[in-house]
């Protein structure tokens, strides 16, 4: 049997492709929106690109927070869906919404009241601070909507309804691109707002996406977006969510804040480095679409299998997922290599920034392989098996004891050239491999975390006592 027939006939491969394709579409659209922002702002000016790139680091951190909360919900919901317990899924959704809404309110308040202070963390260039501050103020609305929609869509994906979540994202992303053009360039009589227009477009599209989620929820039989779930209490599930979600949330925050520190380092090495890096991030996002989609889909499928208590089947599925990850990591590098000539031809940057851009893109052709393997194992396989603590401790050490100090020393103590600093920062993913691969081979990540008789009178009595 050849490889094509094997992939077609194997149930695991068949199921994962049904999950991964809609997720890839979502990731592709997300990357397309980011690239559309950069392409359009390219016609406004290098300062607008740099300011939005730096201000967007807060959205990146917030995304990782929501991703961590969504992961906690997904870990539980995927396994309980495999078990067939829909009531537990509703309770978990309410718990995740409580956390996400509080965090989004905090971010929105900061963006409204102290946006200049938020920008000064990344740069001391007053022009970038002014542009970025106006961007952050208008982004505050999108933060509020985002906290609700991300949790709901994560729950939908965890029970296999990835098509619905994809449609919601298609709506939001399509509107975002259209409204970006309207407000950046002043189309159809709208004011020409430049970087501020990106924030307004994002907030409007997020508002419409939230309204669409409520509309879809009305026609869903079981997985609804309801604020009633916020007030449903189950101490056992809350304890499980905190135990699983907090390490995942901490892991994603540690990683995202650490990754944002890379931008802090680059931001203090000149606007040329910032502008080049902002374009590289967009291209790298395209290169990692397939890899990260595979990690998300694999985590959902493995969670469903583990919830059925088919642990040997889950181990075999993890091995198949790893094979697919290596393939998609290699394809991601080739995608970046293929896009590079197009980017270099059309980027409107200074000569120095173009020099940085060329070599940063080449470095990322192999960097995506490291990211692909680590993301699949830490955020996909390990979390599907109820192990979210390993990734937290791994990234605390890797980012904050290795990569960030290395970057600061290289940039501000040794004063190495920009490209050497960037190269050293891009060794972070490969530094994790020995520990990550060892943990995967040990099998210590595999656990069925569902509980029996969760809503029985006896269990309710236990939760009340706790």
């Amino acid at each position: 049997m050849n490889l094509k027939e094997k992939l077609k006939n194997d149930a695991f491969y068949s199921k994962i492709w049904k999950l991964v394709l809609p997720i890839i579409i979502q990731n592709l659209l997300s990357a397309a929106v980011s690239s559309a922002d950069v392409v359009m702002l390219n016609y406004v000016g290098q300062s607008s690109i740099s300011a939005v790139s730096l201000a967007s680091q807060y959205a990146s951190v917030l995304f990782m927070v929501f991703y961590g909360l969504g992961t906690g919900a997904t870990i539980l919901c995927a396994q309980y869906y495999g078990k067939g317990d829909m009531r537990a899924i509703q309770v978990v959704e309410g718990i995740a919404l409580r956390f996400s809404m509080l965090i989004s309110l905090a971010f929105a308040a900061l963006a409204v009241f102290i946006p200049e202070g938020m920008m000064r963390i990344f740069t001391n260039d007053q022009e970038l601070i002014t542009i970025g501050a106006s961007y952050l103020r208008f982004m505050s609305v999108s933060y509020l909507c985002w906290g609700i929609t991300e949790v709901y869509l994560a729950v939908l994906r965890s029970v296999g309804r990835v098509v619905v979540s994809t449609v919601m994202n298609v709506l939001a992303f399509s509107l975002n691109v259209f409204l970006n053009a309207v407000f950046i360039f002043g189309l159809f009589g709208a004011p020409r707002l430049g970087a501020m227009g990106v924030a307004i477009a994002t907030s409007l599209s997020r508002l419409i996406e939230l309204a669409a989620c409520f509309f879809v929820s009305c026609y869903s039989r079981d997985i609804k977006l309801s604020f009633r779930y916020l007030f449903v209490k189950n101490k056992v599930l809350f304890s499980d969510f905190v135990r699983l979600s907090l390490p995942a949330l901490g892991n994603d925050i540690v990683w995202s804040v650490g990754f944002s520190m890379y931008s802090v380092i680059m931001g203090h090495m000149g606007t040329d480095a910032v502008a080049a890096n902002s374009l590289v991030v967009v291209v790298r996002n395209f290169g990692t679409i397939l890899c990260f989609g595979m990690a998300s889909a694999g985590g959902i499928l493995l969670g469903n299998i583990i919830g059925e208590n088919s642990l040997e089947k889950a181990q075999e599925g993890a091995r198949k997922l790893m094979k697919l990850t290596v393939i998609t990591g290699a394809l991601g590098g080739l995608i970046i290599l293929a896009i590079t000539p197009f980017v270099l031809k059309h980027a409107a940057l200074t000569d120095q920034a173009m020099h940085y851009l060329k070599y940063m893109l080449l470095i990322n052709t192999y960097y995506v392989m490291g990211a692909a393997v680590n993301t699949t194992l830490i955020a996909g396989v390990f979390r599907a098996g109820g192990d979210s603590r390993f990734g937290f401790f791994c990234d605390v050490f890797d980012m904050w004891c290795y990569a960030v100090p290395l970057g600061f020393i290289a940039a501000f103590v040794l004063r190495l050239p920009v490209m050497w600093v960037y190269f050293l920062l891009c060794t972070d993913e490969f530094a994790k491999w020995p520990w990550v691969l060892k943990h995967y081979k040990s099998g210590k990540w595999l656990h069925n975390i569902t509980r029996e008789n969760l809503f029985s009178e006896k269990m309710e009595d236990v939760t009340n006592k706790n």
Side-chain angles (χ1 to χ4, degrees):
M1 183 183 293
N2 59 38
L3 179 61
K4 184 177 180 180
E5 291 175 341
K6 185 177 180 180
L7 292 175
K8 183 178 179 181
N9 295 329
D10 190 294
F12 181 87
Y13 290 122
S14 177
K15 289 179 180 179
I16 201 168
W17 283 115
K18 288 179 182 178
L19 288 171
V20 79
L21 289 176
I23 293 174
I24 288 173
I25 292 172
Q26 292 178 46
N27 292 345
L28 180 61
L29 287 169
S30 178
V33 170
S34 298
S35 63
D37 290 351
V38 174
V39 169
M40 293 179 194
L41 289 173
N42 186 53
Y43 293 97
V44 178
Q46 183 170 306
S47 294
S48 292
I49 294 177
S50 300
V52 171
S53 173
L54 293 175
S56 294
Q57 295 301 315
Y58 288 103
S60 299
V61 172
L62 194 56
F63 169 77
M64 297 310 297
V65 170
F66 294 147
Y67 184 79
L69 291 172
T71 296
T74 299
I75 292 170
L76 286 164
C77 290
Q79 289 205 18
Y80 275 111
Y81 184 69
K83 189 181 179 67
D85 191 340
M86 302 304 292
R87 186 178 174 189
I89 292 172
Q90 294 173 348
V91 175
V92 171
E93 181 186 334
I95 295 168
L97 282 172
R98 283 179 230 162
F99 282 102
S100 68
M101 290 175 70
L102 284 172
I103 293 168
S104 59
L105 278 169
F107 265 77
L110 290 173
V112 170
F113 296 111
I114 55 167
E116 291 86 0
M118 294 170 74
M119 285 300 298
R120 286 193 180 93
I121 293 175
F122 291 102
T123 182
N124 51 12
D125 187 305
Q126 189 56 48
E127 182 184 8
L128 299 187
I129 291 172
T130 301
I131 295 171
S134 65
Y135 171 88
L136 284 169
R137 281 196 180 94
F138 284 97
M139 279 294 289
S140 60
V141 176
S142 74
Y143 298 158
L144 295 172
C145 299
W146 202 7
I148 300 170
T149 57
E150 278 300 310
V151 168
Y152 181 60
L153 296 180
V155 174
L156 285 178
R157 286 191 293 269
S158 71
V159 299
R161 297 179 189 174
V162 290
V163 174
V164 177
S165 63
T166 299
V167 171
M168 294 297 99
N169 285 143
V170 167
L171 172 66
F173 294 148
S174 300
L175 280 170
N176 200 349
V177 172
F178 172 73
L179 293 173
N180 273 346
V182 170
F183 290 113
I184 290 174
F185 301 119
L187 305 179
F188 308 113
R192 190 184 179 98
L193 300 174
M196 192 188 304
V198 175
I200 294 173
T202 302
S203 292
L204 285 174
S205 62
R206 288 291 180 189
L207 275 170
I208 295 170
E209 181 187 31
L210 178 59
C213 285
F214 277 113
F215 178 79
V216 168
S217 171
C218 293
Y219 294 93
S220 176
R221 296 187 305 275
D222 40 35
I223 307 299
K224 293 183 176 295
L225 177 55
S226 174
F227 292 131
R228 291 186 297 109
Y229 298 158
L230 289 167
F231 307 103
V232 178
K233 296 183 179 180
N234 185 291
K235 291 186 179 180
V236 174
L237 274 177
F238 184 84
S239 176
D240 285 346
F241 181 86
V242 170
R243 177 173 55 85
L244 295 167
S245 188
L246 286 187
L249 176 59
N251 183 185
D252 293 331
I253 292 175
V254 162
W255 184 88
S256 61
V257 174
F259 208 75
S260 294
M261 293 305 293
Y262 296 0
S263 295
V264 172
I265 294 169
M266 301 303 290
H268 286 81
M269 298 190 76
T271 56
D272 287 330
V274 173
N277 189 47
S278 66
L279 287 176
V280 170
V281 170
V282 172
V283 177
R284 183 171 60 223
N285 287 342
F286 278 104
T288 56
I289 285 170
L290 185 58
C291 314
F292 292 175
M294 192 65 66
S296 298
I300 292 168
L301 182 53
L302 289 176
N304 294 160
I305 295 170
I306 295 168
E308 297 169 356
N309 210 32
S310 303
L311 301 187
E312 290 185 6
K313 186 178 177 183
Q315 284 185 316
E316 178 60 26
R319 284 192 287 271
K320 293 174 180 177
L321 183 61
M322 274 300 296
K323 293 176 183 177
L324 291 174
T325 298
V326 172
I327 294 171
T328 56
L331 288 173
L334 291 174
I335 289 170
I336 292 175
L337 192 61
I339 295 175
T340 295
F342 176 82
V343 175
L344 293 176
K345 181 178 179 181
H346 295 282
L349 304 179
T350 64
D351 291 341
Q352 186 63 59
M354 289 295 291
H355 173 76
Y356 294 154
L357 178 62
K358 177 182 177 180
Y359 289 101
M360 286 179 177
L361 287 170
L362 290 176
I363 288 171
N364 276 275
T365 58
Y366 68 82
Y367 183 73
V368 293
M369 178 62 79
V373 171
N374 289 326
T375 301
T376 296
L377 289 177
I378 293 174
V381 174
F382 298 166
R383 292 183 184 181
D387 182 359
S388 54
R389 295 181 64 190
F390 175 83
F392 172 72
F393 291 114
C394 182
D395 277 330
V396 165
F397 176 81
D398 182 67
M399 300 295 285
W400 292 98
C401 297
Y402 170 72
V404 172
L406 179 65
F408 272 100
I409 291 170
F412 306 121
V413 178
L414 301 178
R415 298 187 181 277
L416 296 179
V418 169
M419 288 314 308
W420 273 107
V421 173
Y422 188 80
F423 169 77
L424 291 172
L425 289 173
C426 287
T427 61
D428 62 336
E429 294 290 353
F430 298 99
K432 287 189 281 190
W433 270 19
W435 291 273
V436 172
L437 293 173
K438 181 181 179 181
H439 190 65
Y440 163 68
K441 292 177 180 178
S442 73
K444 294 178 181 178
W445 50 270
L446 184 56
H447 310 281
N448 184 340
I449 55 175
T450 61
R451 296 176 182 267
E452 298 294 334
N453 304 315
L454 189 60
F455 298 101
S456 67
E457 292 184 9
K458 183 178 179 180
M459 182 64 78
E460 292 290 353
D461 289 340
V462 171
T463 62
N464 290 332
K465 289 177 183 179
N466 290 337

